[in-house]
Amino acid sequence: MKLTFCLLFNLITILSFSQEKTTISKSKLQANASVSVNTNGMAPVPAFSLDKPAIMASISLAKNRFSYEPTLAYGLDLRPWFIDNWIHYKLIARHAFELRTGFNPSSYFSQYTHSEEFVWYCQRFFTFELAGMYRLSQVSSLSLLYWNDRGQETESIKGHYLGLFWDKSEINIVKKIQMNLNVHLYYINYTGKNDGLFISPKISASIRDLPFSFFFQANQAMQSNITPFPKFKCNAGVAYSL
């Protein structure tokens, strides 16, 4: 499996060098942020979820080829769920194609009962990423991501994630309402029989010149050895962009 991933990305890299020159130039720091409230907290890998309402806050700081993208996720009771700290570097940055690598030291929080008391437990993960994105047009793109997740605690899961994304933005519904469509097809192979092929479409809608957007996301297992077989999940929410 690892050899297949390497060969695929090497082929994409070689082909990209025959394209136009890099679009990266020295620029000022770019900063963006968003906060969302949703009904069924889905993780970046939608097969894993909080299964109750969640609040998620994300920040993006980018300069030249580097970017830092932390995410904080909490339940509505303000108990922590996970913390991501993605650091990305663009190996190739062209108008039609980008190839990046990334590293994410993250933390996931859970609780268990000990002597009739709730105990919070934190599991640390190191995730390594290789991702390629090809722009099909000004408003659509196709992306391929590979993650290698390494749980740092003895009982933490380890494994691989491979995701294929198709994005379509700026779909005009009426004069001032736009929709974005994302289809996420992904395969996971983690320790503890956490394997499977899933599909997760997401639709979001926003009103022009307003910072609010509404979204609906679903997740369905197509094939899996997880017992019991993963149920259909859906998630809806509202996001505010700064």
Side-chain angles (χ1 to χ4, degrees):
M1 181 179 293
K2 292 182 180 180
L3 179 60
T4 302
F5 296 151
C6 291
L7 291 175
L8 179 59
F9 278 110
N10 284 338
L11 177 60
I12 295 174
T13 303
I14 293 171
L15 291 175
S16 69
F17 276 111
S18 63
Q19 304 286 329
E20 57 204 286
K21 295 182 179 180
T22 180
T23 58
I24 287 289
S25 59
K26 292 184 178 180
S27 60
K28 295 181 180 180
L29 178 68
Q30 298 179 352
N32 297 287
S34 66
V35 179
S36 66
V37 180
N38 54 77
T39 60
N40 194 30
M42 284 189 178
V45 178
F48 306 109
S49 62
L50 185 62
D51 293 330
K52 61 182 180 180
I55 303 172
M56 302 175 69
S58 300
I59 298 174
S60 176
L61 302 173
K63 183 176 177 59
N64 301 330
R65 293 180 180 268
F66 287 96
S67 64
Y68 174 53
E69 297 163 304
T71 297
L72 302 177
Y74 289 81
L76 290 186
D77 56 5
L78 298 183
R79 293 181 176 178
W81 174 24
F82 72 83
I83 300 174
D84 276 348
N85 287 283
W86 275 110
I87 301 171
H88 288 119
Y89 178 76
K90 292 182 180 179
L91 300 170
I92 299 174
R94 303 176 186 275
H95 177 71
F97 178 78
E98 290 185 0
L99 181 66
R100 77 183 186 198
T101 185
F103 174 65
N104 177 26
S106 62
S107 300
Y108 279 79
F109 300 87
S110 58
Q111 65 179 19
Y112 64 92
T113 303
H114 178 70
S115 299
E116 299 183 353
E117 293 185 358
F118 286 113
V119 178
W120 279 98
Y121 178 62
C122 174
Q123 297 184 68
R124 300 164 299 153
F125 289 84
F126 289 163
T127 303
F128 302 89
E129 178 192 74
L130 187 61
M133 187 272 290
Y134 182 76
R135 290 186 178 87
L136 302 172
S137 68
Q138 293 294 329
V139 294
S140 65
S141 64
L142 192 65
S143 302
L144 183 64
L145 282 73
Y146 168 69
W147 291 350
N148 188 314
D149 283 325
R150 315 304 298 174
Q152 299 304 295
E153 276 64 50
T154 304
E155 66 277 16
S156 298
I157 63 173
K158 301 176 177 64
H160 309 276
Y161 154 87
L162 181 66
L164 180 66
F165 291 82
W166 177 74
D167 289 285
K168 174 75 172 181
S169 61
E170 299 181 13
I171 303 173
N172 294 312
I173 304 302
V174 294
K175 186 175 181 181
K176 289 189 175 182
I177 298 180
Q178 287 187 335
M179 292 186 65
N180 296 335
L181 174 62
N182 173 284
V183 180
H184 180 191
L185 180 68
Y186 64 97
Y187 172 75
I188 59 174
N189 184 347
Y190 288 93
T191 54
K193 294 185 178 180
N194 287 298
D195 305 345
L197 179 65
F198 299 79
I199 187 168
S200 179
K202 182 178 181 181
I203 299 175
S204 61
S206 60
I207 301 175
R208 291 180 185 273
D209 303 323
L210 289 181
F212 291 97
S213 63
F214 302 89
F215 62 86
F216 175 83
Q217 183 179 11
N219 187 73
Q220 176 63 57
M222 302 173 67
Q223 182 179 358
S224 176
N225 67 356
I226 299 175
T227 304
F229 192 83
K231 296 180 180 179
F232 171 82
K233 295 181 180 181
C234 62
N235 186 35
V238 58
Y240 178 79
S241 300
L242 304 178

